[in-house]
Amino acid sequence: MKLFGWSLGLLLSLSLSVYAQAKLKEGDKAPPLKVAKWIKGKPVQRFEPGKVYVVEFWATWCGPCRQSIPHLTELAKKFAGKVTIIGVSIWENPRNSTSTDYMPRVEQFVREMGNKMDYLVAVDDPKGTMARTWMDAAGQDGIPTAFVIDKRGRIVWIGHPMSELEQVLEQVVAGKFNWQQHAKERQARERNQSAILQLFQRLEQLRQQKKYNEALKELAQAEKRYPAYKETFALMRYDLLLYVDEQKAYALARELANGSYKNNPNALNMLAWSIVEDNTERPLKSPNYALAVEIAQRAAQLTQEKDPFILDTLAYALFKQGKVDEAIRYQEKAVALLKEQRGVPDEIRREIEERLEKFRKARS
């Protein structure tokens, strides 16, 4: 049910295939703002010359988006009068749906955020016009994603709002940002990703052939060749170690959870889920449920217990540890939160709901 390990390769593959078709890049004129409705702040009809803008794409169901909202508010205050920040809600509807039922939910979300979301906010139309003309056109398939538009109306930066956005804005406002260099660096990253994608495919082939040690050797070589991808490789190493040496795998999981992934709830969730999932291909001999609980609790704290998938992981880890009442409490919360989210496949909803029934039956 959860994305883990080799699915990282699949995600990278999808990202690269979309990017290859991307038509919107740095240096291009920003597309128009064809939103369905402005929810907060004065509507922006067009990008005015001499002004700097940030157009950030998010969704109410997106955990990382919730984390980036306060940061964007801080930036809006820091660059008040110099930069206009616009948050556009997208992907709120199930695929191919033309319903507008999602709009009140977005409006309610923004109202509840209050001053924590203190910048302009708009919502995409049911056809996904903004998502299509901005995100799809630029080959971006993950949110939150921000676009910086300079004083000449050009897109000069595309990236995650929690990365280097603040430093970029300082340079763009001062008229000193070298967007050409940024574009070159991004192209170089894309080339590296292409090579790493081939590595993923090779390691997946070795894994299917059960040549785990050979895969680990090739991975070690790649770690030296591409040090910038150390964190991604670490997850792959962990996944392979689960096949050959569970105790080493758990030691690595603890190291990652207390180190490079300490503040990454999604990575923590993947680590914990790999221990508790019912994997028939790779049944664990000595699953460390206590470690899974520890890691999942950290992920839940980081997301303020508002991510249903992380709570589902925590609940299952507690259940397998024998703490049924605690498991039920977290699973009930996960089910309730899931009802507020749109676009989640029905089979995933059923799986989480059925897990709650399983816990309740165990208690009775």
Side-chain angles (χ1 to χ4, degrees):
M1 190 268 293
K2 308 286 177 61
L3 291 173
F4 178 72
W6 300 100
S7 61
L8 291 172
L10 174 60
L11 289 176
L12 180 58
S13 173
L14 292 174
S15 176
L16 287 172
S17 65
V18 174
Y19 184 83
Q21 301 171 18
K23 298 179 180 178
L24 188 65
K25 296 182 175 68
E26 297 92 341
D28 291 343
K29 180 180 178 181
L33 290 167
K34 294 184 178 180
V35 303
K37 186 177 183 179
W38 289 91
I39 296 176
K40 188 170 187 175
K42 184 178 179 180
V44 175
Q45 302 300 334
R46 64 186 182 90
F47 297 115
E48 297 183 18
K51 293 186 177 182
V52 177
Y53 298 84
V54 174
V55 179
E56 184 260 355
F57 293 92
W58 65 283
T60 57
W61 48 263
C62 169
C65 298
R66 291 172 182 263
Q67 295 173 357
S68 68
I69 288 172
H71 178 60
L72 288 168
T73 295
E74 292 176 4
L75 294 181
K77 292 178 181 178
K78 178 176 180 177
F79 294 100
K82 299 178 181 179
V83 178
T84 300
I85 296 181
I86 305 167
V88 181
S89 170
I90 61 172
W91 299 340
E92 299 284 357
N93 246 0
R95 189 182 296 271
N96 299 324
S97 172
T98 58
S99 171
T100 59
D101 292 347
Y102 63 92
M103 290 192 185
R105 184 177 69 256
V106 177
E107 291 174 327
Q108 181 181 355
F109 177 92
V110 175
R111 283 195 300 270
E112 291 176 351
M113 291 299 295
N115 292 333
K116 293 180 181 179
M117 196 175 195
D118 201 7
Y119 47 88
L120 306 186
V121 183
V123 60
D124 199 3
D125 60 32
K127 296 180 180 179
T129 300
M130 287 293 290
R132 186 177 65 256
T133 58
W134 286 74
M135 292 288 288
D136 293 351
Q140 300 298 309
D141 56 2
I143 52 176
T145 292
F147 293 73
V148 175
I149 296 90
D150 71 359
K151 297 176 183 180
R152 295 173 59 182
R154 302 173 303 182
I155 294 173
V156 292
W157 185 85
I158 304 171
H160 195 293
M162 295 293 284
S163 60
E164 55 182 357
L165 179 57
E166 182 174 0
Q167 294 84 351
V168 169
L169 288 176
E170 289 175 348
Q171 295 177 49
V172 173
V173 169
K176 298 179 179 180
F177 183 63
N178 188 339
W179 65 264
Q180 294 95 335
Q181 182 61 33
H182 165 71
K184 288 181 181 178
E185 291 173 356
R186 200 165 88 127
Q187 289 171 6
R189 288 196 298 271
E190 295 295 335
R191 287 194 295 271
N192 282 343
Q193 287 180 343
S194 179
I196 291 171
L197 174 57
Q198 293 179 18
L199 170 67
F200 280 8
Q201 294 169 339
R202 166 64 177 162
L203 294 180
E204 170 62 3
Q205 183 182 42
L206 291 173
R207 187 175 75 107
Q208 290 181 355
Q209 295 172 352
K210 299 184 179 181
K211 297 179 180 179
Y212 308 124
N213 287 317
E214 186 176 341
L216 284 166
K217 289 180 181 178
E218 292 201 19
L219 181 58
Q221 295 173 358
E223 289 170 338
K224 295 178 181 178
R225 194 178 310 127
Y226 303 104
Y229 293 86
K230 179 180 178 180
E231 293 185 0
T232 298
F233 290 151
L235 275 180
M236 297 171 68
R237 173 170 292 279
Y238 168 70
D239 188 50
L240 285 167
L241 283 173
L242 282 174
Y243 287 94
V244 297
D245 192 327
E246 286 182 24
Q247 297 312 310
K248 282 188 178 181
Y250 298 143
L252 178 57
R254 189 180 297 279
E255 178 186 334
L256 293 172
N258 293 327
S260 56
Y261 290 134
K262 183 177 181 180
N263 296 313
N264 187 331
N266 293 325
L268 292 171
N269 189 42
M270 287 190 287
L271 288 173
W273 182 253
S274 68
I275 299 173
V276 302
E277 69 174 328
D278 302 313
N279 191 333
T280 56
E281 177 194 349
R282 185 191 56 208
L284 299 177
K285 297 177 181 178
S286 304
N288 191 335
Y289 296 134
L291 177 60
V293 169
E294 178 185 330
I295 294 174
Q297 284 176 333
R298 171 68 181 169
Q301 290 170 0
L302 289 172
T303 53
Q304 300 180 331
E305 296 189 1
K306 293 182 179 179
D307 188 310
F309 303 107
I310 289 175
L311 293 182
D312 174 51
T313 299
L314 175 57
Y316 209 14
L318 287 165
F319 176 77
K320 291 198 170 184
Q321 201 181 26
K323 299 178 180 179
V324 180
D325 288 338
E326 285 187 67
I328 291 174
R329 179 165 63 86
Y330 281 111
Q331 196 71 7
E332 286 177 340
K333 192 168 185 178
V335 170
L337 287 169
L338 202 60
K339 291 179 180 178
E340 301 173 6
Q341 296 194 5
R342 301 289 293 274
V344 178
D346 291 340
E347 61 269 23
I348 293 181
R349 291 181 186 275
R350 284 195 300 271
E351 182 180 338
I352 292 177
E353 291 170 356
E354 288 171 359
R355 203 153 19 243
L356 175 57
E357 292 305 311
K358 177 180 179 178
F359 298 168
R360 287 171 173 168
K361 288 180 180 178
R363 182 174 62 181
S364 58

